[in-house]
Amino acid sequence: MVQCSKCTSDAVTFIRYSGNHLCASHFKEFVERRVKKELRSQVDLDVVKEIAVAVSGGKDSCVALSIINDIIGSRKDVNIRCITVDEGIAGYRPESIEKVRVLCNSLDIEHVVVSFKDVIGVDMDEIADLIGQRTPCAYCGVFRRRCMNKAAREMGAQALATGHNLDDTSQAVLMNFTRGDVERLARMGPHIRAQPGLIPRIAPLRQIPEKEVYLYAILQDIDFVDAKCPYWEAALRNEYRDIIDNIESRTPGSRHSIVASYDALRPLLREKFPQSVLRICECGEPAPTGKCMSCTMIREISNRKSIEKYP
Amino acid sequence: MVQCSKCTSDAVTFIRYSGNHLCASHFKEFVERRVKKELRSQVDLDVVKEIAVAVSGGKDSCVALSIINDIIGSRKDVNIRCITVDEGIAGYRPESIEKVRVLCNSLDIEHVVVSFKDVIGVDMDEIADLIGQRTPCAYCGVFRRRCMNKAAREMGAQALATGHNLDDTSQAVLMNFTRGDVERLARMGPHIRAQPGLIPRIAPLRQIPEKEVYLYAILQDIDFVDAKCPYWEAALRNEYRDIIDNIESRTPGSRHSIVASYDALRPLLREKFPQSVLRICECGEPAPTGKCMSCTMIREISNRKSIEKYP
């Protein structure tokens, strides 16, 4: 057994980009220290008193909730609540909602479930049937963001935390950069400025590699759902997963460097793309044109539904 | 035979990112139009009257010289000269110098050869022997830039054109971004502002994919050297070649998008990293600290030489 680089205990993992072998206890400390640093750099807890955490039941969001609760759960002046979006995916979502319910119970955190059926009027299984060849993920992403933002706003949250890890973050940065989508780069979280109706998103795990989140969940006995969404497929995002894995395996630390490059550019991007003044869509969600993408997609789906019904 | 998308002639190539089949004549026009646009956006020919073109004898720099000559060779008020750096690599460089000499003769362009031996005091074969395990490319790049800048400055050039194509450019952008080297991104060419002693570098082929440069050279009967440098090896740059090829093959147009992202960020980067005031090194070349990298490397090599001689 290899020894921990910090103490005499047995190491449970090797952190390739830092060259350290770590025991369970030093590994947990290593993860928690960085999450704490990120959280404090992303939210000002003298101002933010209501935090919503979006938890799907997967390892990332479960770990995010658990660590955020460790860091600020004992503060009397800050309230943490949990939001789970129920997209309506049979055989996949019900189990994970139950896991989140159990986790919230154990942490004594209020759990709110917001469903596509209630907010959008249709669930994902129905949408997937209607859109044919198109990837359901594009719709799901837009609707999920709407549900999360609506629920967070209605509970008075001043920040909405998600479980995005370092792999997710570096993939998104590289994808937007490679697609020439500089404006989308500028709009990525974590958000520092609040926009009317839009709850700033934060990502406390954005410096933690996916594998470390996984190991942390196992070591902390956090019960999560490991199943893949049935609609997961060869989306563009999965290509960037391969690319990033490839770069990281050749040059350990590259994921961190990509995010560091992005962080160096963020202040410049914010100047170049100042926040547009948002108008409120008829659904209550803010959007630059006053007509949100979610409502546009719902109308498109409704049209398909009528076509289906009356061919 | 597939027909050209623009006329009734047979196509010689398929441009995947635009979906066009092109005949020889429309392909050449397609390349030349973009090079002309780049050249005009990079240099103001009302101001720049002396252009040096660095030509190694490879396809890229030979094509750059040929097209630059086509575009501005007939202007009486602008003078084009050619610089070839002789690194001193036996079995590789002599043949390419001869090719450049023939090309320059045919275009009636003055050809200046500047050698490592004269400027640095040692040639690459000697350096490669001395540095052992280290990659010779790092030294060669620094010394080549010094030789090119010195020769261009001494001939009074106001711009130094290189043959960097779209593949080179997108690889360099992605490499610097992925390594977190935002300052190096900011310093990349094409340069718009002149610094005392430093000739602004321009890259008229930066929007032309490597394969198109190759085909253009063949179709125009430009005689170039196709051999690889004997020191070419698994350098970091070659990894990024694989990565970019992979991204481009999955999503045609990605190389262009990467350069477009970079171009959108360039003005912001220039503001963040304003040009430092350069001091002149004892060798005559400008450097931020007044001690240039080339002289630092020469001293390192000289030390190794003494060690070799007196073990």
Side-chain angles (χ1 to χ4, degrees):
Chain A
M1 206 63 177
V2 180
Q3 193 181 299
C4 175
S5 308
K6 311 267 179 193
C7 71
T8 56
S9 306
D10 287 343
V12 294
T13 186
F14 174 59
I15 308 294
R16 201 166 157 237
Y17 56 84
S18 74
N20 281 325
H21 294 272
L22 295 177
C23 67
S25 156
H26 279 110
F27 170 74
K28 284 192 271 183
E29 188 200 299
F30 177 61
V31 170
E32 287 160 5
R33 194 174 58 238
R34 284 172 300 158
V35 176
K36 192 169 185 172
K37 193 176 158 204
E38 268 301 318
L39 187 65
R40 297 214 178 261
S41 81
Q42 291 177 30
V43 287
D44 179 357
L45 290 172
D46 290 334
V47 176
V48 173
K49 299 300 177 190
E50 288 284 341
I51 295 182
V53 186
V55 182
S56 66
K59 64 186 184 318
D60 303 295
S61 53
C62 287
V63 166
L65 181 66
S66 168
I67 301 188
I68 290 172
N69 184 62
D70 282 348
I71 298 170
I72 50 178
S74 61
R75 282 180 70 141
K76 293 269 177 284
D77 62 332
V78 182
N79 189 32
I80 304 169
R81 274 182 285 194
C82 173
I83 297 170
T84 301
V85 177
D86 180 0
E87 303 94 346
I89 302 174
Y92 171 68
R93 187 51 73 210
E95 184 199 355
S96 56
I97 293 175
E98 178 56 20
K99 298 253 187 208
V100 183
R101 198 189 59 76
V102 171
L103 179 64
C104 286
N105 267 350
S106 76
L107 302 175
D108 196 20
I109 287 174
E110 186 187 334
H111 184 211
V112 173
V113 177
V114 51
S115 73
F116 274 22
K117 195 78 187 174
D118 286 347
V119 176
I120 314 291
V122 284
D123 59 32
M124 266 318 286
D125 287 336
E126 207 176 339
I127 293 168
D129 270 350
L130 286 166
I131 58 172
Q133 291 299 316
R134 288 191 250 182
T135 165
C137 310
Y139 296 84
C140 191
V142 168
F143 295 150
R144 233 180 322 125
R145 276 191 291 279
R146 170 163 167 188
C147 289
M148 286 191 296
N149 193 61
K150 179 178 153 72
R153 188 179 58 235
E154 287 175 359
M155 64 174 59
Q158 293 141 302
L160 172 63
T162 63
H164 290 97
N165 59 42
L166 178 65
D167 297 62
D168 300 327
T169 308
S170 56
Q171 284 158 22
V173 167
L174 197 70
M175 187 168 77
N176 289 329
F177 189 82
T178 302
R179 294 165 94 181
D181 204 341
V182 177
E183 189 161 358
R184 195 181 290 254
L185 266 186
R187 288 206 317 264
M188 278 178 67
H191 301 134
I192 46 162
R193 282 172 298 189
Q195 292 245 71
L198 211 57
I199 312 308
R201 285 198 306 276
I202 59 171
L205 305 188
R206 76 196 278 273
Q207 298 284 355
I208 315 297
E210 182 168 15
K211 275 185 188 164
E212 292 182 32
V213 177
Y214 195 94
L215 179 59
Y216 184 90
I218 305 284
L219 292 173
Q220 290 288 75
D221 264 332
I222 294 171
D223 191 21
F224 61 88
V225 171
D226 209 4
K228 270 205 182 79
C229 171
Y231 299 117
W232 184 93
E233 54 185 296
L236 191 58
R237 170 56 76 98
N238 295 323
E239 294 184 14
Y240 280 86
R241 182 187 306 277
D242 294 345
I243 293 165
I244 293 275
D245 288 353
N246 188 0
I247 294 176
E248 179 72 19
S249 79
R250 298 196 204 196
T251 312
S254 292
R255 287 170 307 197
H256 290 93
S257 301
I258 288 168
V259 175
S261 279
Y262 173 61
D263 285 349
L265 295 172
R266 271 167 68 85
L268 311 177
L269 287 167
R270 272 199 223 108
E271 264 176 58
K272 174 151 178 175
F273 300 100
Q275 287 182 318
S276 47
V277 178
L278 299 180
R279 290 157 60 200
I280 301 299
C281 178
E282 56 184 22
C283 70
E285 290 298 309
T289 61
K291 187 80 193 166
C292 79
M293 177 58 86
S294 169
C295 285
T296 307
M297 284 183 161
I298 290 171
R299 202 173 42 237
E300 186 219 315
I301 289 169
S302 307
N303 288 343
R304 283 166 181 267
K305 254 178 129 169
S306 330
I307 295 165
E308 293 281 310
K309 275 183 190 150
Y310 317 105
Chain B
M1 207 62 177
V2 179
Q3 193 179 297
C4 174
S5 308
K6 310 267 181 194
C7 71
T8 56
S9 306
D10 286 344
V12 295
T13 187
F14 173 60
I15 309 295
R16 201 166 156 236
Y17 56 85
S18 74
N20 281 325
H21 295 272
L22 296 176
C23 67
S25 157
H26 279 110
F27 170 73
K28 284 191 270 184
E29 188 200 300
F30 177 61
V31 170
E32 287 160 5
R33 192 174 60 237
R34 283 172 300 159
V35 176
K36 192 168 186 172
K37 193 176 157 205
E38 269 301 318
L39 186 66
R40 296 211 178 262
S41 82
Q42 291 178 29
V43 287
D44 179 358
L45 290 173
D46 290 335
V47 177
V48 172
K49 299 301 178 190
E50 289 283 342
I51 295 183
V53 186
V55 182
S56 65
K59 63 184 185 319
D60 302 295
S61 53
C62 286
V63 165
L65 181 66
S66 168
I67 301 188
I68 290 171
N69 185 62
D70 282 349
I71 298 171
I72 51 178
S74 61
R75 283 181 68 142
K76 292 270 178 283
D77 61 331
V78 182
N79 189 33
I80 303 168
R81 275 183 286 194
C82 173
I83 296 170
T84 301
V85 177
D86 180 0
E87 304 95 344
I89 302 174
Y92 171 67
R93 188 50 75 208
E95 183 200 355
S96 56
I97 293 175
E98 178 56 20
K99 298 256 188 206
V100 183
R101 198 188 58 75
V102 171
L103 179 64
C104 286
N105 268 349
S106 75
L107 302 175
D108 196 20
I109 287 174
E110 187 188 334
H111 184 210
V112 173
V113 177
V114 51
S115 74
F116 274 21
K117 195 78 189 174
D118 287 347
V119 175
I120 314 291
V122 285
D123 59 31
M124 266 317 287
D125 287 335
E126 208 176 337
I127 293 168
D129 271 351
L130 286 165
I131 58 171
Q133 292 298 316
R134 289 191 249 183
T135 166
C137 310
Y139 296 84
C140 191
V142 168
F143 295 150
R144 234 179 322 123
R145 276 192 290 280
R146 169 162 168 188
C147 289
M148 287 191 296
N149 192 61
K150 178 179 154 73
R153 188 178 59 236
E154 286 174 359
M155 63 173 59
Q158 293 142 302
L160 172 62
T162 63
H164 291 98
N165 59 43
L166 178 65
D167 297 62
D168 300 327
T169 308
S170 55
Q171 284 157 23
V173 167
L174 196 71
M175 187 168 77
N176 289 329
F177 188 82
T178 302
R179 294 164 94 181
D181 203 342
V182 177
E183 190 161 359
R184 196 181 289 254
L185 266 186
R187 288 205 316 265
M188 278 178 66
H191 301 134
I192 47 160
R193 282 173 299 189
Q195 291 245 70
L198 210 56
I199 312 307
R201 285 198 307 276
I202 60 170
L205 305 188
R206 75 196 281 273
Q207 298 285 356
I208 315 295
E210 183 168 15
K211 276 187 188 163
E212 292 182 32
V213 177
Y214 195 94
L215 179 59
Y216 185 90
I218 305 283
L219 293 174
Q220 291 288 73
D221 264 331
I222 295 171
D223 192 20
F224 60 88
V225 172
D226 209 3
K228 270 206 182 80
C229 172
Y231 299 118
W232 183 94
E233 53 183 296
L236 191 59
R237 170 56 77 99
N238 296 323
E239 295 184 14
Y240 281 87
R241 183 187 305 278
D242 294 345
I243 293 166
I244 293 274
D245 288 353
N246 188 359
I247 294 176
E248 180 72 20
S249 80
R250 299 195 204 196
T251 312
S254 292
R255 287 170 307 196
H256 289 94
S257 300
I258 288 169
V259 175
S261 279
Y262 173 60
D263 285 351
L265 296 173
R266 270 166 69 84
L268 311 177
L269 287 167
R270 274 199 222 106
E271 264 177 58
K272 173 150 181 177
F273 300 101
Q275 287 182 316
S276 47
V277 179
L278 300 181
R279 290 157 59 199
I280 301 298
C281 179
E282 55 185 22
C283 69
E285 290 299 310
T289 60
K291 187 80 190 167
C292 79
M293 178 58 86
S294 169
C295 284
T296 308
M297 284 182 162
I298 291 171
R299 202 173 43 237
E300 185 219 316
I301 289 169
S302 307
N303 288 341
R304 284 165 180 266
K305 252 176 129 167
S306 329
I307 295 165
E308 293 281 310
K309 275 182 187 150
Y310 317 104

